[in-house]
Structures are given as structure tokens and as C-alpha cells.
Amino acid sequence: MGYATVQRVPRIHDYAQALRIHDTIKPLRGRSPEIKPLGDRRDADTYHIRMNGEAVELVLYKTPVITFMPDGEVVLFVDSYNTVATHQFIQQVLGVSVWGVRRTTVLTINNSKYTLAAKDKLRLRKDVSGNWQVLNPAQQWTWRLDRKAVTNVRAQYGEFYKYLKGFVNLRTESMKATNWRDDEKDCIRVQQSEFKSVFGSMTSVRSYAYMDKRGKQHINYSNVKPEQYAASSNAFDCLIRPDQPEEDKHTNFYKAALLLVAKLESDAMDIRTDDITVVSKNIVPLLDDVLFMIHAHQVLIRKALPQGKVSSGIYEHWMLEW
């Protein structure tokens, strides 16, 4: 099943057409209960059409994704299946743009965006001009940084921010960031031997790999578990806290700076080459991300969006709790 098969599903404009299609399609022989294919008959187990009382249901696998009601309403229901197949099915039948964002189905109708999540139902009706209108749009929200809270968090870790900026300035050189580009950039290069001399082994470095993976995220296609994020982020936080013993600060700050370099080079912090090179200007912003994730409930505030808008903010996945 895929794009080629869904193209054989008809575009349906209203209840009358849906009912006519149902009544004219012959059911498959020898199938009980009766099944009427929608599109190619060989795809009947993927797409079919059935009656539910007077309502006409268009079914994808076992889910009545699109229901045409006698009063002209059309009800959309994805049953938590925020999949490409579901989106292609709705798009083919109704002629609207559909895609997925963070486990939510998004539809563009009349240049406005509407969402359909989990077990929700979205109700549509055509106006006198024949354009789809949404009858029950859901309020959309987004997460934004609270500038005052951000300033407070940066001030709390001000001593390490100052150290890190000095580290970056001291070690930055103009060099090629990659082997496949000739232009030079301000970069920092660190030998693998330096990591080993500080951490003892690269395994110790890799233990911090989850420190920027709050919420529903993954590394190398493996989902990050909440305990993995907690262990990595807490361990990193201990290295940069201002209330640690003074005699430990320089060593721990140095470790934290190297860890940020390793994280920029490899998401899994799996350093296997003799040396790595990262762009200097990206190091401090990475620290921001790590700290803002640790203090997400402090620095992020929820904002209502205007009707017809859907959040595309970078902070949404941080707040998708496990």
C-alpha cells in the first residue's frame, strides 16, 4: 500500500456522491461480513466503504477515517494513526493538504491550518461556494521562551558561561571545518587523546550523550528513555553548578566544555577519529539548549495561537513528556 494505490481511491465531494459510490460498488464474493472496495478491488483490505446507519464511512484498514453524514457534515477521525497512509487517504478523498507534525495530523483548509490529534474528531462542511469549512477547530498552543526566566538561568550559571566563552576564545582558530569544503571558519579542534586524558575513556564521554534529549527524542533511531536523559543531564549539571567546591570547579568546567565540543561533533558523542573540529560559534548556543531543557518548566511559557495557525516552534518536542 502506498501512493500508487491511494491514487485509485476516488475524490468525493459530498454525501450524495459517497452514497452513490457505496450503492453501485459490488461487494467482494465470499467475504463475510460484506466488504465493498474503494478504489482497486485488490486493495479492499486497505480501502473500503460501508454504511453505519445512514452515514457513509470510508475506511482505511479498520478505521473509519472519513464519514459523510446525511446533513452534509464530514467527520474526520484518525484514531491516533498519525501516519503517511492516513494523510494520503484524506488528501486524496477531500482534496486538502494533509501532513503530520509531532504526532498530530495537520490539514490546510482555505490557507489556514487545523489539527486532528489522537482520538479527536474534526468536523467539516462545504459553504455555498463549495469550499470546506471547519466547524470545530481546536485551540492551538505553542511554547515560547520567557526572556526574564532565561536571563535568570544564565545568571545562575554565569560563572560557567564566562569560563566557556573564555575557553572558546582561547582555542578558536581559523581552519577548514570539514574535509569536503575549502572555506575556512573559526573552529576548535580537539584530539581524541585529550578526551581520554580527562575522562579516562570514550565510554565515559558517551555517557553524557542524552543530556540534550528531553522529551520524545532519539539517538541513532533509538528512543531516549527518561532515565537516560535524567542521568546525562544531571551529571552535566553537576559539572557546571556554581555551588560545587572551588577546588573542583576548574576541572569540572573543563570537562563540561569538552563535552559540548563532543556533542557538536556527534549526537551520540561517539568519537572514533584522532581529532574532531567544530565551529566555535555553535558551542555557547548548545549550552543554552542543554540548560533550557533542564529548566524547561521554568523558562518555557505556553501561548495560545491565532485560529488557523499551528506551532512550528523548536521547543514543542521538549514538552512531549514520556
Side-chain angles (χ1 to χ4, degrees):
M1 196 282 293
Y3 183 73
T5 57
V6 79
Q7 288 294 295
R8 293 190 281 267
V9 173
R11 177 72 48 83
I12 302 179
H13 301 282
D14 53 31
Y15 174 80
Q17 182 188 3
L19 182 62
R20 185 167 59 254
I21 290 173
H22 174 273
D23 290 346
T24 55
I25 291 178
K26 294 181 179 180
L28 295 181
R29 292 181 180 178
R31 298 290 290 269
S32 181
E34 178 182 277
I35 183 170
K36 292 190 172 186
L38 185 64
D40 199 307
R41 295 181 70 81
R42 63 185 175 184
D43 299 326
D45 289 320
T46 304
Y47 318 105
H48 62 275
I49 187 169
R50 70 190 183 193
M51 299 298 297
N52 185 357
E54 294 186 359
V56 182
E57 294 181 337
L58 309 187
V59 182
L60 176 65
Y61 294 112
K62 297 181 179 180
T63 303
V65 175
I66 306 171
T67 301
F68 286 86
M69 307 297 293
D71 63 0
E73 278 193 17
V74 174
V75 181
L76 304 183
F77 174 62
V78 299
D79 198 19
S80 300
Y81 292 106
N82 177 39
T83 65
V84 172
T86 301
H87 303 157
Q88 289 178 343
F89 186 57
I90 297 173
Q91 185 165 300
Q92 175 66 18
V93 173
L94 300 183
V96 298
S97 178
V98 189
W99 72 99
V101 177
R102 291 178 295 277
R103 301 184 298 175
T104 300
T105 294
V106 180
L107 299 89
T108 297
I109 298 175
N110 297 326
N111 297 319
S112 294
K113 296 179 177 63
Y114 302 92
T115 61
L116 181 56
K119 302 290 184 177
D120 294 343
K121 293 183 178 181
L122 191 68
R123 300 181 182 277
L124 311 178
R125 184 190 294 274
K126 283 192 172 180
D127 60 19
V128 293
S129 300
N131 297 316
W132 291 113
Q133 301 295 328
V134 177
L135 303 180
N136 62 330
Q139 176 63 61
Q140 298 303 308
W141 301 84
T142 189
W143 293 96
R144 301 278 171 79
L145 286 174
D146 183 324
R147 294 185 180 276
K148 184 177 180 180
V150 164
T151 299
N152 290 338
V153 168
R154 285 174 173 157
Q156 179 182 343
Y157 295 91
E159 198 171 350
F160 179 66
Y161 270 100
K162 182 178 179 180
Y163 173 90
L164 183 62
K165 290 175 182 177
F167 172 90
V168 171
N169 290 335
L170 180 64
R171 300 194 56 161
T172 292
E173 301 177 62
S174 182
M175 65 182 81
K176 291 172 59 177
T178 63
N179 292 328
W180 55 86
R181 293 190 60 173
D182 293 330
D183 56 317
E184 293 192 349
K185 295 184 177 182
D186 288 339
C187 299
I188 290 178
R189 179 168 292 162
V190 179
Q191 304 291 324
Q192 185 177 147
S193 58
E194 185 175 357
F195 286 108
K196 291 181 178 179
S197 68
V198 174
F199 293 95
S201 70
M202 297 310 294
T203 300
S204 297
V205 174
R206 288 193 294 272
S207 68
Y208 291 86
Y210 307 104
M211 64 184 183
D212 66 337
K213 298 301 178 187
R214 176 186 170 86
K216 293 286 186 178
Q217 299 198 58
H218 57 82
I219 290 182
N220 293 340
Y221 304 104
S222 295
N223 292 331
V224 176
K225 300 176 181 178
E227 57 269 23
Q228 291 174 315
Y229 168 73
S232 285
S233 60
N234 289 339
F236 183 81
D237 185 54
C238 287
L239 294 177
I240 64 174
R241 292 184 65 86
D243 56 357
Q244 61 182 296
E246 289 296 327
E247 60 270 20
D248 296 334
K249 275 186 180 178
H250 179 78
T251 298
N252 287 341
F253 282 7
Y254 176 40
K255 286 182 176 181
L258 289 178
L259 290 171
L260 291 170
V261 172
K263 187 65 184 177
L264 278 177
E265 167 64 17
S266 167
D267 197 30
M269 300 175 75
D270 188 13
I271 310 301
R272 302 190 181 190
T273 56
D274 292 338
D275 59 65
I276 60 173
T277 302
V278 300
V279 178
S280 301
K281 67 179 182 180
N282 296 332
I283 296 176
V284 174
L286 175 58
L287 173 62
D288 281 341
D289 282 352
V290 173
L291 287 180
F292 296 164
M293 287 185 198
I294 293 173
H295 299 278
H297 288 288
Q298 179 181 341
V299 302
L300 293 180
I301 52 177
R302 204 169 184 225
K303 293 282 190 179
L305 289 171
Q307 194 61 59
K309 299 292 184 181
V310 174
S311 176
S312 58
I314 63 173
Y315 309 112
E316 308 302 313
H317 62 277
W318 295 7
M319 305 307 285
L320 291 176
E321 305 294 351
W322 291 274

